[in-house]
């Protein structure tokens, strides 16, 4: 059976106004991301990486074209419907972990599950399993301030996938880590993608990590271009 198309951009355009000047960031961008794939988004600053991630994550609406998540066109959906898709079908990981400092690692991962309606028991069991998978189960009851940078980012990844999303969008998830820790966090993320069938698009300036992903893309003149 062919892999499902988890994320698709069709003819997507995004324009901004800067004073009296119009800036065209995306100009008919097309892109498909399949389940179980890791795709590196490698592009210089100012070319539209953040815009592409925001559109893919339904944080912005395109000026033209369509963004589809798991085969569902999202352009005409209401804001509450888009919010529900972001909550249940898309996971986000940022350069800074954004963990809630007053909660433990396991509680941080439980939070999105409780919001989605899972029982406390189910949420804790899944959170504990994810921490074990990321090899930090022994740190479950530690607060973020008691964790290393690599441990904090692994908790952030586990939190992002806690509700079993179809798509994971990551913006420089290893940017604040030393090379050895970055490599370890990336390998854990890649294994999670393969094991779960998740589709991941990861913006990175780390060409070594990009070379280990299934595909590499960049942005040229407002379009998504595949790299060798």
């Amino acid at each position: 059976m062919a892999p499902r198309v988890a994320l698709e951009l069709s003819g997507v355009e995004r324009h901004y106004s800067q004073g009296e000047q119009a800036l065209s960031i995306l100009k008919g961008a097309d892109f498909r991301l399949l389940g179980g794939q890791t795709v590196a988004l490698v592009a210089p600053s100012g070319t539209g990486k953040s815009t592409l991630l925001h559109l893919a994550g339904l944080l912005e609406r395109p000026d033209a074209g369509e963004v589809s998540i798991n085969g569902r066109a999202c352009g005409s959906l209401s804001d509450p419907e888009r919010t529900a898709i972001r909550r249940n079908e898309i996971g986000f990981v940022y350069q800074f972990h954004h963990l809630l400092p007053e909660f433990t690692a396991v509680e941080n991962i439980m939070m999105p599950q409780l919001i989605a309606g899972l029982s406390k028991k189910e949420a804790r069991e899944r959170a504990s399993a994810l921490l074990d998978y990321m090899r930090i189960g022994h740190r479950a009851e530690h607060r973020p301030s008691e964790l290393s940078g690599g441990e904090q980012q692994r908790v952030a990844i586990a939190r992002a996938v806690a509700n079993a999303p179809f798509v994971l969008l990551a913006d420089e998830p290893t940017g604040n880590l030393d090379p050895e820790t970055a490599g370890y966090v990336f390998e854990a993320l890649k294994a999670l993608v393969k094991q779960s069938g998740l589709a991941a698009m990861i913006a990175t300036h780390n060409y070594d990590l990009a070379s280990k992903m299934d595909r590499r893309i960049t942005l040229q003149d407002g379009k998504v271009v595949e790299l060798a």
Side-chain angles (χ1 to χ4, degrees):
M1 188 169 62
R4 59 180 171 78
V5 179
L7 168 67
E8 184 169 16
L9 277 66
S10 303
V12 166
E13 297 186 9
R14 191 71 173 104
H15 314 291
Y16 299 98
S17 296
Q18 192 174 60
E20 295 183 359
Q21 184 181 11
L23 296 176
S24 294
I25 305 300
L26 296 178
K27 309 172 190 175
D30 297 310
F31 172 66
R32 274 187 165 196
L33 179 59
L34 304 180
Q37 275 189 341
T38 53
V39 176
L41 173 56
V42 184
S45 298
T47 54
K49 275 193 307 182
S50 294
T51 297
L52 183 63
L53 287 171
H54 288 170
L55 290 167
L58 307 186
L59 296 169
E60 295 183 30
R61 291 181 185 267
D63 295 303
E66 186 61 86
V67 177
S68 299
I69 303 293
N70 201 34
R72 184 182 186 188
C74 300
S76 61
L77 298 181
S78 67
D79 287 339
E81 288 172 320
R82 288 165 65 88
T83 298
I85 291 175
R86 281 198 305 273
R87 184 175 61 233
N88 299 318
E89 300 181 25
I90 305 173
F92 297 91
V93 182
Y94 300 98
Q95 185 169 351
F96 186 71
H97 54 76
H98 295 296
L99 299 175
L100 299 171
E102 65 271 30
F103 295 102
T104 64
V106 72
E107 288 169 343
N108 265 279
I109 302 169
M110 288 171 63
M111 203 66 63
Q113 300 177 77
L114 295 173
I115 292 171
L118 264 70
S119 70
K120 195 170 182 179
K121 180 176 182 294
E122 289 174 310
R124 180 172 286 275
E125 287 175 354
R126 178 162 175 77
S128 297
L130 283 167
L131 284 170
D132 287 340
Y133 191 86
M134 301 299 282
R135 300 184 185 178
I136 49 171
H138 60 293
R139 308 289 275 166
E141 299 304 327
H142 291 256
R143 287 181 169 80
S145 62
E146 301 169 316
L147 303 175
S148 70
E151 289 170 338
Q152 290 171 347
Q153 200 62 320
R154 277 181 275 168
V155 173
I157 291 169
R159 180 183 60 185
V161 302
N163 284 337
F166 296 116
V167 177
L168 179 69
L169 301 173
D171 192 0
E172 297 287 351
T174 61
N176 286 330
L177 306 176
D178 64 81
E180 183 178 354
T181 305
Y184 189 87
V185 169
F186 172 73
E187 289 303 325
L189 173 57
K190 189 174 179 181
L192 189 62
V193 168
K194 295 302 181 187
Q195 187 270 338
S196 65
L198 183 66
M201 178 161 63
I202 303 167
T204 182
H205 285 107
N206 188 322
Y207 286 90
D208 181 52
L209 293 185
S211 69
K212 298 175 182 177
M213 297 191 213
D214 299 316
R215 294 164 56 200
R216 283 148 296 283
I217 60 173
T218 191
L219 291 166
Q220 292 179 4
D221 193 28
K223 297 186 184 297
V224 178
V225 177
E226 295 277 345
L227 296 172

